[in-house]
Every structure is written in structure tokens, then in C-alpha cells.
């Protein structure tokens, strides 16, 4: 975020400054000083899932894998949020600092059969507090703390064998950015802890703009070290190391159009299996490549902005995924903004995914056995082929130049027969999720 | 997408409107609206235009009041706050001092010349009843020059923003209101003129949005016996201020920035404390060339 500038502690402190604001229409929107101010925000997120026709529950040993999945989403979304914020600034010229937001949705898998009675599954309550402050005009520091608690039941194989689980997670991260005339450099670190999972990450990212400032190149890298100590195997400590790199080009096409292309590559080595599932032995390496194109367009007539993006993902597990997303942000009178969103997702199954057998289809309490020759295997529904749809709406209101409140609701539906490619395991139950996020932020 | 720049003359100086647009035609029509707004304000408030409301009120000073429209009343209200916030230093009735100070002739007036003129200064004596504004003494006059240009910059920027402009600025002889950053999000770099060398700038300040204004002792002045007499005159002593060579303030509105620079100049040595308290970023050069700045 280009926060180049000044902290204005007593911005409207003087009667004189306030009086100037009262003059007939000398100011517009709330575009005056936003990028030069600090911000603190608080968000609350409630997420819950439902899935039809599940088998009976089994042992009550803690399970974290499912929660890990959901939580990863929280973090991922918050990351992309920040990115979006930068984008909007560029297009509109107005500027609202968006916060690291725990906004879930897209639990990238889980799935299902067409069952009759739906059951509640995982639910997450997350709280986050984020603060950003510009320093001396050339630096900014941003920090986020998230606490969330996950509870519910997660299947041990396919969509059956529910295991109850409960866990909490604490995440803290800090990022320091230095701005100079042709770009910026940011260093960051993050720390995440839950009862059986510890993750530490370090990142470095730089961006450089061309002389005419119409093109910006971004290059970044990160190192993540995870330590997993499964509750079911208290004496085992496993590790996972991931190195990732990102290259991006952002180009301003016109006053109203900005396009961006990002290519990311990540190389991971270590423990990828899920210790809480039956028949789960995954390769010890997972490399993935992501290509993403974005296009933001500003409509002069309505003053609204559309954001369209397409993302292609492929990894060495054999999963290939496509995500198409469209969002439209419409500012209205009196500080209101509405933003509907639609996201379409499809993925193929992992090479070692074991589909539901005829025997399991006939009797859900039968566990499908991987073939005797299989080296790697998993019955995790998140590695199956499926398609998903997310519909969301965000409404926010700028109460005054300092305070912003927002509400965001997203509904998610996932079905194996919606998979556009790959081999759908139609015996899996369909899956749905809902998330509601409330946020309040203050600039100072 | 291109950046279009339109230069024009207004309020006795060189001005420009800069905006980013997809077509020259569109840029031209928007710039024309902005420039028209600047000249509307000049026609309405310049004391050099006999048809302006300011000239009409001045013409009947000591005789009768003049009914004013809402915009004018809002500006008077702002002038009132300027007066009280500056401890009476920013006084829109102080313009009469130009009768004693002729910057072309370069003559320093004596006390006898100044005394009767000083007697005509006093915002507190202005009678305001409802929409009617009256100068109580013949010879008294209003001068909106202290904030008219800045107000025009804000209004013109506001009109451009209303027409969809998100990148660009309005520059009325150094009083600048930025609508939004360059199209790539980077700031406009604004050079601050060296108060002792017209050919040079002494600083370059980035501005994404908001406004910047500079007051200096170099705009209009003359020197006698090595002493500089500039156009910013203390309303009580009747003599030009001498503490600052130039003061630049960055604030959300050009009106706010401009008012702060003028008050800081008028407060002389106390100007620094005033700037500090305002909370806005500033860049000031004192009589010895010493630079003071914060948040720029």
C-alpha cells in the first residue's frame, strides 16, 4: 500500500480546518487524506458448514486437519484482500485502507452424496485486530492478530466417519514497508500456533515502477516452516518447509482500466498427510504453480468498479483448478457502498485420491480400502474432483471521515457433480457453508 | 489514457488544470468547466472587478448594507473564523493597507500616513444582520484575496471530481489542490520555490491527494536600505512581516492550507508553534534561511 506520508494526529483539530470543510462543496467524497493516515480495525467472523447424509461418528481424538484447512482460507483471503485494496486505490483515486480480514469462504473441498438429512459440521469464530501506521512519511508498519476457535465434526474418510474436534489458533504477523520514489520494499514475518500445528513464515517483496509509472513489476519470496505434532501420535514431530516466489506485472491501460498478471511458484517438502484420517499417505513433496490475471474497470457513469479475475492452479498432487471471480463495488449516497460477488471454482482430483467403492456406496460404514499396490493414497474429500459456487454481498458505511463499518455475507455450495473436469466421485455428499463477517475500523 | 495540461491566466497569475483522461475532447470539456468556475469566483469576489459583490459592498461602505447570497455568507462566516483563529491577524478588512504600501514605487510610508488607514481596519466592526453585510465606515473595504484563490482551487477540483476525474490537480499560482494521484497511484511531486532564487526549488514534496499552498515574502516586495518589505502586512502595526521567507502547508483543502500559511507568516516567530499545533504538514524557511519542516 502506498502510504507514503504524513501522520496527521490532530487532523481536524482546529476550528479553522473544520470551518474550511463547511464551505460550499470544496471537498469531495472522503478522498482527502485516507492514504496518509493510520488505521485500526476489528473484525468478527462466524463461519459454519453443513453437509448431507453422513456416517456415524467415531473416536473423539482431536482433529486439526479440517480446521487447518478452514483457517488457511482465512489467512489466504486476508492476503488477497490487502492486494485488492491496493487495486481499488489505483482505479478510483479514492482510498480506503482495507484491513487484513478473516473472511472465509471456499473451504476448498469437502464434498458429497446427495443425502437427505443435512448435518452441521465445522464452525469457526474468528476475531482479528489489525493496525497500520505510517512512519516518517517513508515507512509504514502493519500488524495483525487473529484468534479463532474451531469446533464441530470432520469426516475421517470421504464424507463419513465424523470425528469431533475443537481447537483454537492464534496468529500474529507484522510487516514493515519502505517506500521510495519508484517503488517499495516490504519485509514481513508471521507466526501461527494451534495445539498441534506451529507455523512460522518470513517474506520479502519489492515492487518497481517504470519511468512513466504505467507499469509496475513485483517480485516476492517467502519461506514457511511448519511443525506438526499430531495428537494421535504424541511422540512424532513432523516438519514441512515451503519456499514460494511470486512475480507480477501491473499495467495501467487507461484512466479506467488496470490489468495485472501474477505468476506464483511454490515448492514444499515435508509432511503433507492428514494424521486424523483413515488411509491417508500423501507424497512428501508438493509443488504448485499459479497463474492469475485480474482486470479492474471503473465505470464513469455509475462511479462503480468491477473486479474480474481468473486463476489457474496446478500442483504435483495432480490437482488442476480454475477460479473465476467477479465483484462489483458500487458507492452510493451517504457513505454507503454495496459489493456483490460471484465466484466459480472447479478442480480435478489428486492422482492418489481413492474414490468411494461400491461397497462403501452400499453401506457408508464400510471404509474403502486403497489398492494394495498404491504407494500414496487419500480419501480426503478435499482432494476429490468438485465444483463450487460462492455468492456474496458486502455492505459498508462510512459513518464519518474516521469510522467505517461493514457487513459481509457469503454462501458457498460445493458438489462433486459440478466438477468441470476430472473424475467426479458422485458418492460424496454435497457441502455448503455460510460466513458472516462484521467489521469496524477507525482511521487516525 | 493521457495526462492533459491546460494553462490559463486568472487572478493575475499563471494557472493550470491537469487531468488524466481517455480523450482530448473529454479533457478539454472538463477543464473548461473548471476554468469557468475559477473565473466565476474571480468575477464574483475580486475587488478589482467593479461588478463583484466585494466591490459593491466596498462602494457603499459607511452608507448601507448589501444583501448577500449563501455562498458569500459562507465565505464571510469562514472569514470570521479566520479572524478568531488567528487572534485577529487574518483580517479581511486589512486590504486597505495597500493604499499606503505601493510596491511599484518602493516608498516606506511614515506613521502619519499609516495611522488613518489602520483606523479603517477591524473585522469586529463589520455589521452582519441576517443576509445583510455592511461596512460601518466610509473607506473601509473587504479583500477576499487571502483565501479566494484557494477557494477557487477547491471548487474547481470539486467540479472535476464530480465529472469523474480521479487523477489530476488544479494549480492556481502555487495554491494546489490535488484530486487524486497519478494514474499508477504515485504522488504528484510538487517543487517548492527557493524564496531567494526564482530559478530554483529547494524541496520537492510528494502529494497523493489533498492540497498544498505556499506564502512567501518574495511574491511582491521592495527593498530599502537592505530591508525587505513584502506584501503580507501586519494588520495592527501596518508594517510587512519579516520573520519568514516562505511557509508551505499541506492540508486536505487548499483553503485550509492557504489560511495556515498566511496566519503563520503573520504570527512571525510564533508561526512555528501555530503550525505545530495545527497538526498539518509544513515546510517553512525563516529570514536566515533556516528550514523547519514536519511530515512532508
Amino acid at each position: 500500500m502506498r502510504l507514503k506520508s504524513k501522520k496527521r494526529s490532530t487532523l481536524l483539530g482546529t476550528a479553522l480546518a473544520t470551518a474550511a470543510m463547511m464551505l460550499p462543496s470544496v471537498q469531495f467524497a472522503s478522498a482527502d487524506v485516507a492514504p496518509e493516515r493510520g488505521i485500526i480495525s476489528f473484525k468478527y467472523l462466524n463461519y459454519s458448514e453443513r453437509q448431507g447424509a453422513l456416517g456415524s461418528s467415531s473416536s473423539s481424538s482431536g482433529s486439526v486437519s479440517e480446521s487447518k484447512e478452514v483457517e488457511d482460507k482465512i489467512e489466504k483471503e486476508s492476503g488477497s484482500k490487502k492486494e485488492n485494496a491496493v487495486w481499488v486505490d489505483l482505479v478510483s483515486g479514492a482510498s480506503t485502507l482495507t484491513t487484513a480480514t478473516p473472511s472465509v469462504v471456499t473451504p476448498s473441498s469437502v464434498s458429497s452424496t446427495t443425502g437427505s438429512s443435512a448435518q452441521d459440521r465445522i464452525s469457526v469464530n474468528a476475531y482479528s485486530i489489525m493496525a497500520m501506521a505510517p512512519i516518517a512519511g517513508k515507512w509504514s508498519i502493519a500488524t495483525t492478530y487473529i484468534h479463532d476457535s474451531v469446533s464441530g465434526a470432520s469426516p475421517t474418510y470421504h464424507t463419513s466417519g465424523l470425528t469431533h474436534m475443537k481447537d483454537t489458533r492464534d496468529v500474529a504477523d507484522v510487516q514493515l514497508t519502505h517506500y521510495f520514489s519508484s517503488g517499495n520494499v516490504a519485509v514481513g514475518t508471521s507466526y501461527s500456533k494451534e495445539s498441534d500445528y506451529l507455523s512460522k513464515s518470513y517474506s520479502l517483496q519489492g515492487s518497481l515502477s517504470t519511468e512513466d509509472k504505467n507499469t509496475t513489476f513485483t517480485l516476492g519470496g517467502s519461506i514457511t516452516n511448519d511443525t506438526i505434532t499430531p495428537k494421535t501420535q504424541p511422540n512424532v514431530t513432523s516438519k514441512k518447509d515451503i519456499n514460494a516466489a511470486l512475480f507480477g506485472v501491473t499495467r495501467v491501460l487507461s484512466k479506467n482500466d488496470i490489468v495485472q498478471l501474477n505468476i506464483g511458484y511454490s515448492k514444499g517438502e515435508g509432511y503433507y498427510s492428514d494424521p486424523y484420517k483413515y488411509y491417508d499417505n500423501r507424497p512428501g513433496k508438493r509443488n504448485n504453480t499459479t497463474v492469475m490475471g485480474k482486470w479492474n474497470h471503473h465505470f464513469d457513469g455509475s462511479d462503480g468498479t468491477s473486479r474480474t479475475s481468473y486463476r489457474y492452479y496446478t500442483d504435483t498432487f495432480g490437482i488442476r483448478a480454475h477460479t473465476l471471480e467477479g465483484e462489483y463495488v458500487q458507492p452510493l449516497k451517504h457513505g454507503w457502498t454495496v459489493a456483490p460477488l460471484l465466484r466459480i471454482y472447479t478442480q480435478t482430483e489428486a492422482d492418489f485420491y481413492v474414490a468411494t467403492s461400491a461397497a462403501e456406496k452400499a453401506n457408508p460404514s464400510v471404509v474403502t480400502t486403497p489398492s494394495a499396490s498404491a504407494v500414496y493414497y487419500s480419501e480426503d474429500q478435499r482432494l476429490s474432483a468438485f465444483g463450487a459456487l460462492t455468492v456474496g454481498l458486502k455492505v459498508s458505511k462510512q459513518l464519518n471521515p474516521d469510522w467505517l463499518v461493514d457487513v459481509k455475507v457469503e454462501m458457498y455450495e460445493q458438489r462433486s457433480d459440478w466438477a468441470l473436469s476430472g473424475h467426479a466421485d458422485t458418492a460424496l455428499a454435497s457441502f455448503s457453508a455460510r460466513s458472516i463477517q462484521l467489521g469496524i475500523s477507525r482511521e487516525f | 489514457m493521457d495526462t492533459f495540461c491546460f494553462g490559463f491566466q486568472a487572478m493575475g497569475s499563471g494557472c493550470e488544470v491537469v487531468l488524466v483522461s481517455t480523450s482530448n475532447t473529454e479533457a478539454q470539456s472538463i477543464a473548461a468547466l473548471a476554468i469557468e468556475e475559477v473565473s466565476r469566483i474571480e468575477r464574483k469576489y475580486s475587488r478589482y472587478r467593479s461588478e463583484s459583490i466585494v466591490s459593491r459592498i466596498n462602494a457603499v461602505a459607511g452608507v448601507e448594507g448589501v444583501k448577500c447570497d449563501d455562498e458569500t455568507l459562507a465565505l464571510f462566516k469562514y472569514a470570521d473564523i479566520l479572524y478568531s483563529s488567528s487572534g485577529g491577524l487574518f483580517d479581511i478588512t486589512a486590504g486597505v493597507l495597500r493604499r499606503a504600501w505601493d510596491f511599484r514605487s518602493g516608498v516606506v510610508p511614515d506613521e502619519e500616513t499609516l495611522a488613518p488607514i489602520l483606523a479603517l481596519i477591524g473585522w469586529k466592526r463589520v455589521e452582519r444582520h441576517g443576509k445583510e453585510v455592511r461596512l460601518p465606515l466610509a473607506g473601509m473595504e473587504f479583500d477576499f484575496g487571502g483565501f479566494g484563490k484557494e477557494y477557487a482551487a477547491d471548487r474547481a477540483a470539486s467540479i472535476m471530481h464530480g465529472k469523474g476525474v480521479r487523477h489530476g490537480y488544479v494549480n492556481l499560482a502555487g495554491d494546489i489542490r490535488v484530486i487524486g494521484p497519478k494514474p499508477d497511484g504515485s504522488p504528484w511531486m510538487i517543487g517548492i520555490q527557493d524564496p531567494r532564487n526564482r530559478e530554483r526549488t529547494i524541496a520537492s514534496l510528494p502529494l497523493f491527494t489533498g492540497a498544498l499552498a505556499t506564502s512567501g515574502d518574495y511574491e511582491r516586495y521592495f527593498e530599502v536600505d537592505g530591508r525587505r518589505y513584502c506584501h503580507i502586512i501586519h494588520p495592527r502595526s501596518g508594517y510587512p512581516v519579516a520573520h519568514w521567507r516562505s511557509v508551505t502547508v499541506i492540508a486536505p483543502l487548499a483553503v485550509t492550507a492557504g489560511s495556515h500559511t498566511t496566519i503563520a507568516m503573520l504570527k512571525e516567530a510564533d508561526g512555528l508553534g501555530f503550525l505545530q499545533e495545527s497538526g498539518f504538514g509544513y515546510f517553512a524557511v525563516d529570514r536566515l534561511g533556516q528550514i523547519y519542516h514536519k511530515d512532508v
Side-chain angles (χ1 to χ4, degrees):
Chain A
M1 180 118 271
R2 290 172 190 268
L3 295 165
K4 184 166 288 192
S5 274
K6 309 107 220 196
K7 186 174 78 198
R8 303 261 177 75
S9 50
T10 53
L11 190 60
L12 302 175
T14 65
L16 188 51
T18 316
M21 298 285 184
M22 308 297 279
L23 287 171
S25 61
V26 288
Q27 57 173 336
F28 35 79
S30 54
D32 283 327
V33 289
E36 302 171 348
R37 305 171 68 187
I39 189 167
I40 185 156
S41 78
F42 176 77
K43 303 265 174 188
Y44 165 71
L45 172 91
N46 174 270
Y47 165 88
S48 67
E49 307 173 341
R50 281 174 79 75
Q51 187 159 40
L54 293 164
S56 59
S57 64
S58 64
S59 78
S60 64
S61 63
S63 156
V64 143
S65 53
E66 197 85 11
S67 80
K68 181 68 192 152
E69 182 78 19
V70 170
E71 287 161 354
D72 280 350
K73 292 303 164 192
I74 294 177
E75 218 160 41
K76 229 175 258 169
E77 281 270 330
S78 54
S80 69
K81 268 253 142 170
K82 279 183 194 163
E83 216 171 73
N84 281 346
V86 174
W87 270 58
V88 182
D89 287 345
L90 293 173
V91 171
S92 67
S95 30
T96 316
L97 291 179
T98 313
T99 64
T101 311
S103 77
V104 184
V105 175
T106 351
S108 100
S109 54
V110 204
S111 44
S112 72
T113 323
T114 34
S116 47
S117 65
Q119 271 182 274
D120 283 341
R121 287 258 310 268
I122 299 291
S123 85
V124 180
N125 282 298
Y127 304 87
S128 84
I129 186 155
M130 180 270 191
M132 184 286 299
I135 307 169
K138 300 228 183 310
W139 297 81
S140 77
I141 187 161
T143 180
T144 311
Y145 170 73
I146 303 171
H147 172 80
D148 52 42
S149 54
V150 182
S151 64
S154 131
T156 42
Y157 63 95
H158 294 146
T159 47
S160 303
L162 289 188
T163 301
H164 290 284
M165 51 129 348
K166 201 176 163 83
D167 205 350
T168 60
R169 183 183 69 143
D170 292 280
V171 186
D173 70 56
V174 60
Q175 187 171 48
L176 183 68
T177 308
H178 179 58
Y179 301 87
F180 48 94
S181 63
S182 58
N184 65 61
V185 176
V187 287
T189 179
S190 112
Y191 180 88
S192 165
K193 186 171 173 24
E194 52 201 292
S195 62
D196 59 353
Y197 209 107
L198 177 69
S199 177
K200 292 182 215 166
S201 165
Y202 311 89
S203 66
L204 176 69
Q205 181 166 311
S207 78
L208 198 64
S209 298
T210 53
E211 196 79 3
D212 65 5
K213 304 283 185 190
N214 278 340
T215 309
T216 302
F217 299 97
T218 304
L219 191 62
S222 69
I223 299 172
T224 305
N225 302 121
D226 294 352
T227 308
I228 306 118
T229 46
K231 288 176 192 161
T232 48
Q233 298 148 276
N235 300 321
V236 177
T237 298
S238 306
K239 294 203 174 287
K240 181 159 76 185
D241 297 319
I242 301 170
N243 298 323
L246 170 95
F247 174 71
V249 183
T250 305
R251 176 138 181 94
V252 179
L253 292 184
S254 75
K255 175 183 101 171
N256 291 343
D257 296 278
I258 295 178
V259 291
Q260 185 178 50
L261 182 71
N262 279 340
I263 297 169
Y265 181 73
S266 148
K267 195 170 160 61
E269 214 170 309
Y271 187 75
Y272 277 96
S273 302
D274 188 331
Y276 305 110
K277 295 200 188 298
Y278 294 153
Y279 300 122
D280 200 277
N281 184 38
R282 308 180 191 187
K285 282 182 185 174
R286 187 179 198 178
N287 302 338
N288 69 59
T289 305
T290 308
V291 178
M292 185 178 65
K294 280 189 186 178
W295 170 42
N296 286 12
H297 177 73
H298 181 77
F299 297 87
D300 284 336
S302 63
D303 200 28
T305 301
S306 64
R307 301 176 196 157
T308 316
S309 69
Y310 165 75
R311 178 176 175 268
Y312 175 71
Y313 168 94
T314 178
D315 70 16
T316 51
F317 278 12
I319 293 176
R320 290 183 304 284
H322 305 266
T323 312
L324 188 63
E325 184 175 309
E327 187 181 17
Y328 179 75
V329 183
Q330 178 64 57
L332 301 170
K333 282 184 179 157
H334 309 300
W336 290 93
T337 303
V338 293
L341 170 139
L342 179 70
R343 187 186 300 121
I344 301 168
Y345 178 86
T346 177
Q347 76 170 42
T348 62
E349 77 280 11
D351 297 335
F352 52 87
Y353 175 73
V354 182
T356 308
S357 65
E360 189 184 325
K361 279 177 190 164
N363 178 1
S365 58
V366 170
V367 183
T368 301
T369 313
S371 84
S373 63
V375 178
Y376 300 116
Y377 42 83
S378 173
E379 295 178 14
D380 186 337
Q381 55 187 330
R382 291 167 295 183
L383 300 179
S384 70
F386 63 84
L389 202 61
T390 304
V391 181
L393 180 69
K394 181 174 177 177
V395 177
S396 64
K397 173 151 170 75
Q398 188 83 42
L399 298 176
N400 59 39
D402 294 335
W403 292 91
L404 177 78
V405 291
D406 60 74
V407 179
K408 184 169 156 185
V409 178
E410 292 195 19
M411 306 295 289
Y412 173 83
E413 175 80 16
Q414 176 183 307
R415 295 186 188 179
S416 51
D417 55 6
W418 283 356
L420 297 177
S421 56
H423 304 87
D425 181 357
T426 51
L428 298 175
S430 72
F431 170 88
S432 62
R434 179 222 72 201
S435 81
I436 298 172
Q437 179 195 281
L438 305 173
I440 182 159
S441 67
R442 183 182 199 278
E443 290 184 36
F444 55 91
Chain B
M1 176 204 58
D2 289 300
T3 303
F4 297 93
C5 177
F6 301 90
F8 61 102
Q9 285 288 318
M11 303 178 177
S13 38
C15 304
E16 61 175 341
V17 159
V18 169
L19 72 155
V20 171
S21 173
T22 42
S23 79
N24 193 7
T25 332
E26 186 195 55
Q28 263 178 2
S29 68
I30 293 172
L33 290 172
I35 294 167
E36 168 49 31
E37 177 67 4
V38 174
S39 41
R40 178 190 73 82
I41 291 165
E42 184 174 11
R43 287 195 302 274
K44 190 169 174 183
Y45 297 111
S46 170
R47 63 177 189 199
Y48 301 107
R49 301 288 191 98
S50 59
E51 77 278 18
S52 80
I53 179 118
V54 167
S55 295
R56 287 196 285 125
I57 300 171
N58 291 347
V60 292
V63 181
E64 58 183 24
V66 173
K67 255 194 158 180
C68 299
D69 63 311
D70 291 345
E71 184 183 30
T72 309
L73 291 170
L75 288 168
F76 273 122
K77 193 173 170 192
Y78 181 65
D80 186 43
I81 292 160
L82 269 176
Y83 181 87
S84 54
S85 313
S86 63
L89 292 177
F90 200 134
D91 188 327
I92 63 166
T93 64
V96 286
L97 283 165
R98 81 179 193 288
R99 291 176 197 158
W101 293 92
D102 180 346
F103 291 93
R104 273 181 294 265
S105 69
V107 176
V108 180
D110 53 24
E111 298 288 338
E112 285 95 76
T113 316
L114 282 173
I117 294 173
L118 287 172
L120 294 172
I121 298 172
W123 165 253
K124 282 293 162 207
R125 289 142 76 184
V126 172
E127 294 161 18
R128 290 186 296 152
H129 299 292
K131 297 195 166 203
E132 203 174 274
V133 177
R134 178 176 179 268
L135 285 164
L137 299 174
M140 278 185 85
E141 60 178 58
F142 286 126
D143 179 2
F144 280 22
F147 53 79
K149 193 149 56 80
E150 292 88 339
Y151 173 64
D154 284 328
R155 290 279 307 195
S158 186
I159 281 171
M160 289 164 69
H161 185 269
K163 288 285 163 195
V165 174
R166 294 295 177 270
H167 307 285
Y169 62 84
V170 176
N171 174 10
L172 303 184
D175 290 331
I176 296 156
R177 172 70 186 272
V178 173
I179 297 156
K182 292 179 186 173
D184 68 334
S186 68
W188 301 99
M189 295 303 293
I190 298 170
I192 305 302
Q193 198 187 316
D194 183 334
R196 291 295 175 267
N197 184 347
R198 270 191 192 278
E199 306 303 310
R200 274 189 54 201
T201 57
I202 44 169
S204 186
L205 311 182
L207 202 58
F208 290 90
T209 180
L212 178 149
T214 302
S215 285
D217 66 359
Y218 54 87
E219 293 162 57
R220 262 175 295 139
Y221 69 94
F222 62 84
E223 281 178 352
V224 174
D225 300 333
R227 192 189 153 169
R228 175 178 292 234
Y229 297 91
C230 77
H231 74 294
I232 299 171
I233 303 170
H234 196 287
R236 287 198 280 270
S237 72
Y239 279 89
V241 293
H243 189 79
W244 300 103
R245 286 183 183 177
S246 94
V247 175
T248 298
V249 171
I250 295 178
L253 303 180
V255 164
T256 314
S259 302
H260 280 78
T261 60
T262 308
I263 295 173
M265 291 287 290
L266 288 166
K267 280 188 177 277
E268 303 196 83
D270 295 336
L272 194 61
F274 168 78
L275 290 173
Q276 198 66 36
E277 274 171 32
S278 75
F280 297 121
Y282 61 81
F283 184 95
V285 185
D286 75 7
R287 61 198 303 177
L288 303 172
Q290 174 74 40
I291 292 169
Y292 302 84
H293 63 90
K294 192 191 110 195
D295 296 347
V296 292

